[in-house]
Amino acid sequence: MSDKPWDGRFSERTDTSVEEFTSSIDVDKRLYPYDIEGSVAHCRMLAKVGVLTDEEATALSEGLWRIKRELDQGNFIFDDSLEDIHMHIEARLLQEVGKVAQKLHTARSRNDQVALDVRMFLRDVTRQVIVQLQDLRREFIQLAEQHVDTIMPGYTHLQRAQPVLLAHHWMAYYEMFSRDSERFIDSLKRTNVMPLGAAALAGTTYPIDRKYTAELLGFPVVTANSMDTVADRDFILEFLSAASICMVHFSRMSEELVLWSSSEFRFIELADAFSTGSSIMPQKKNPDIPELIRGKTGRVFGDLFALLTLMKGLPLTYNRDMQEDKASLFDAVDTLQSCLDITVKMLPTIKVNIDVLRNAASTGFLNATDMADYLVAQGVAFRSAHAIVGQAVAYALANGKELHELSIKELKNFAKQIEEDIFDHLTLEHMIARRQSAGGTSTDNVRAAIETARKQLDLESRSDQNQQGSHEAAKS
Ligand code: ARG
């Protein structure tokens, strides 16, 4: 009656409802390329240390590659009774190469095997995300370059505050997504650690060579403690945290794009190809892409919280609960990568209404701070200058004017130090040009920031290519 690799001690057949309930094949089948690559490396290592003969290892490896082709082509038949991708491949290997297949699992457990598969998967994904973030950051640089002369209102409390360059605003997103990239790069260090050889939890009695397996699979190091190895999902939590923070940035960007494309703002227009219509209101053009990105942010937070909650009460070491980690991880990966893809395509199609931005920056007393700064330069203490300008703003408001529309006579009523040159100080260009403090919005600063960012990206993509080269060399 034995049809499962683990049912030697069982006297009853597993109930089919149990098979359905415990099966994870629908979710974890996408790990198959890693499962096969990992198994082939495991075979080669077992042959190297003499646990398998070379002929056995070759027969197993060839069988595994044939199964990979079957899976690649979609000809593989899945079955709930085989639980997960690891057991599916092992069962198929038995049909493919016969009895020798039963030796594959020597010195290994599904507990370290699944840890290996997920680490390999996440290592690939993290590298892809880092490259996708480079593409995204490049788009922000591009947008910034197009708008080094575009002046817009900067906001606090969603109230117009001070003029800034639109380029400065785009570069703010460049910074956010650069930090995201750093977080992914950092998490990769802890993902890229080889777990195989921990076996079930305690290590194994076979004379295995874990470093050799690591070398074959391109891991720089092996995990240190077998119990931690099969119990640890921190590396997934780190990815999900980095993904959640990245989605916060996406969501804030999306919120701005939604606001800016409304008739109330009219700062930008999204391309027709990247908008959708309404089934009832013929006039509508809706910013569904940013809205959906904002919405999908909640999914990724949910995935992070699902795994945090899943892990928090688990005693060491492996518990079956942990099988649930993959649904959250895959959902977050797919969501994040689709948001990265669509944003890279959407950003260059945004049409900016430069005049609307400029007009918006010209009204609403955005030069009030600069008028105070002018008075400070004439020897007035900042707090008094603040109060004086406050009164001038109240007066201008009551008269339906902006500060720069008041006459010199009117202005002098508030402070005798004010001279004709105040009007220069209150122009948009002047206000921008004078904000030269490091990180400020002056055109020179912003140009320099763009230049630095370009160099940084070039450096990153060059070092990616180098790494690619050395990995290819290591493989062959
Ligand atoms: N499908 C399982 C998972 O994803 C593999 C490990 C199963 N281990 C076990 N002892 N049942 O976690």
Side-chain angles (χ1 to χ4, degrees):
M1 66 141 283
S2 176
D3 67 346
K4 295 199 163 50
W6 44 254
D7 68 1
R9 62 153 291 170
F10 287 69
S11 54
E12 281 182 330
R13 235 194 151 281
T14 320
D15 198 277
T16 45
S17 63
V18 174
E19 288 180 344
E20 260 172 53
F21 187 74
T22 56
S23 168
S24 58
I25 187 63
D26 285 344
V27 174
D28 61 28
K29 61 180 161 209
R30 69 191 273 183
L31 290 176
Y32 81 82
Y34 306 104
D35 198 74
I36 286 176
E37 207 189 323
S39 289
V40 169
H42 183 62
C43 285
R44 284 179 62 187
M45 182 280 290
L46 290 178
K48 176 171 181 273
V49 300
V51 172
L52 292 180
T53 65
D54 284 340
E55 296 72 56
E56 286 170 333
T58 306
L60 289 170
S61 302
E62 283 174 358
L64 285 162
W65 290 131
R66 282 199 296 278
I67 295 170
K68 170 144 192 311
R69 272 196 295 280
E70 224 172 273
L71 280 152
D72 286 342
Q73 287 157 6
N75 300 330
F76 195 95
I77 296 157
F78 295 100
D79 173 1
D80 271 348
S81 74
L82 287 169
E83 280 187 42
D84 56 24
I85 189 61
H86 325 293
M87 305 253 277
H88 271 82
I89 291 171
E90 200 182 315
R92 182 77 190 86
L93 191 63
L94 187 64
Q95 298 168 344
E96 190 68 25
V97 302
K99 259 184 133 25
V100 63
Q102 292 174 332
K103 295 195 173 186
L104 174 68
H105 212 52
T106 314
R108 186 175 77 169
S109 152
R110 266 187 299 159
N111 298 349
D112 56 344
Q113 186 179 0
V114 73
L116 175 68
D117 293 6
V118 177
R119 282 176 183 274
M120 288 174 72
F121 165 81
L122 194 52
R123 176 174 73 173
D124 271 3
V125 162
T126 307
R127 286 176 179 152
Q128 287 164 15
V129 166
I130 292 164
V131 172
Q132 286 178 292
L133 276 168
Q134 283 171 1
D135 294 341
L136 179 68
R137 289 155 65 211
R138 201 166 287 120
E139 287 307 329
F140 280 111
I141 294 180
Q142 212 104 305
L143 282 173
E145 272 171 345
Q146 289 162 21
H147 292 288
V148 266
D149 297 319
T150 307
I151 300 176
M152 69 177 291
Y155 292 81
T156 63
H157 311 268
L158 199 57
Q159 306 285 327
R160 289 181 196 167
Q162 292 179 1
V164 291
L165 292 179
L166 177 55
H168 199 47
H169 197 115
W170 293 133
M171 289 306 285
Y173 282 104
Y174 171 86
E175 294 296 331
M176 292 177 235
F177 289 112
S178 298
R179 288 196 298 277
D180 289 326
S181 171
E182 283 174 35
R183 270 183 280 273
F184 285 113
I185 291 169
D186 193 60
S187 75
L188 194 51
K189 282 187 233 150
R190 284 169 296 277
T191 299
N192 199 11
V193 183
M194 210 288 296
L196 210 63
L201 76 160
T204 171
T205 54
Y206 296 93
I208 58 171
D209 183 347
R210 298 187 62 211
K211 286 205 173 126
Y212 183 65
T213 313
E215 211 175 287
L216 291 175
L217 295 173
F219 285 94
V221 276
V222 304
T223 55
N225 177 299
S226 64
M227 295 181 74
D228 178 45
T229 300
V230 293
D232 172 28
R233 295 292 183 270
D234 293 5
F235 62 100
I236 306 182
L237 285 171
E238 282 195 49
F239 178 87
L240 293 177
S241 315
S244 295
I245 298 174
C246 184
M247 289 303 296
V248 170
H249 298 148
F250 267 124
S251 194
R252 297 183 77 175
M253 173 204 76
S254 299
E255 172 66 12
E256 296 206 306
L257 297 182
V258 171
L259 279 176
W260 290 2
S261 60
S262 69
S263 317
E264 283 68 18
F265 275 81
R266 284 201 316 112
F267 285 3
I268 58 165
E269 204 182 311
L270 297 175
D272 283 359
F274 284 83
S275 304
T276 52
S278 157
S279 56
I280 174 167
M281 297 166 283
Q283 87 282 12
K284 293 275 286 201
K285 180 169 147 186
N286 296 328
D288 293 41
I289 294 173
E291 288 175 287
L292 272 170
I293 294 174
R294 197 175 55 187
K296 284 171 189 288
T297 301
R299 292 176 71 120
V300 178
F301 293 1
D303 294 325
L304 170 63
F305 267 79
L307 190 61
L308 285 168
T309 313
L310 174 71
M311 294 305 293
K312 72 177 268 294
L314 298 184
L316 300 190
T317 54
Y318 178 84
N319 299 268
R320 190 63 179 267
D321 316 43
M322 290 159 77
Q323 178 167 288
E324 291 289 311
D325 61 354
K326 284 170 279 308
S328 304
L329 173 61
F330 295 161
D331 183 65
V333 163
D334 294 341
T335 307
L336 177 67
Q337 292 202 296
S338 67
C339 290
L340 279 160
D341 266 347
I342 196 79
T343 307
V344 166
K345 294 196 181 104
M346 174 186 64
L347 285 180
T349 72
I350 291 176
K351 186 178 152 278
V352 176
N353 295 327
I354 294 173
D355 295 341
V356 177
L357 283 171
R358 195 181 168 91
N359 276 336
S362 309
T363 52
F365 306 98
L366 281 80
N367 46 13
T369 314
D370 289 74
M371 183 166 161
D373 291 345
Y374 174 89
L375 289 172
V376 170
Q378 317 300 317
V380 182
F382 183 76
R383 276 292 160 231
S384 319
H386 187 289
I388 292 167
V389 178
Q391 286 158 12
V393 167
Y395 173 85
L397 263 176
N399 289 279
K401 289 180 177 170
E402 288 289 326
L403 286 174
H404 53 270
E405 288 167 351
L406 298 177
S407 70
I408 184 73
K409 210 168 137 240
E410 285 172 304
L411 286 169
K412 268 186 178 296
N413 284 336
F414 295 100
K416 57 181 185 333
Q417 295 93 330
I418 297 178
E419 300 295 340
E420 274 289 338
D421 64 345
I422 179 98
F423 295 108
D424 265 354
H425 278 74
L426 299 185
T427 63
L428 289 173
E429 272 69 22
H430 207 91
M431 290 191 278
I432 295 290
R434 281 169 46 92
R435 281 177 166 69
Q436 285 166 9
S437 56
T441 192
S442 76
T443 311
D444 290 346
N445 272 354
V446 173
R447 276 191 208 286
I450 293 173
E451 177 78 15
T452 307
R454 273 234 177 272
K455 282 196 183 127
Q456 171 64 24
L457 270 183
D458 286 349
L459 206 70
E460 284 176 34
S461 36
R462 233 175 298 138
S463 86
D464 284 353
Q465 276 159 12
N466 287 345
Q467 260 160 27
Q468 203 92 15
S470 62
H471 189 65
E472 300 294 290
K475 266 187 161 173
S476 61

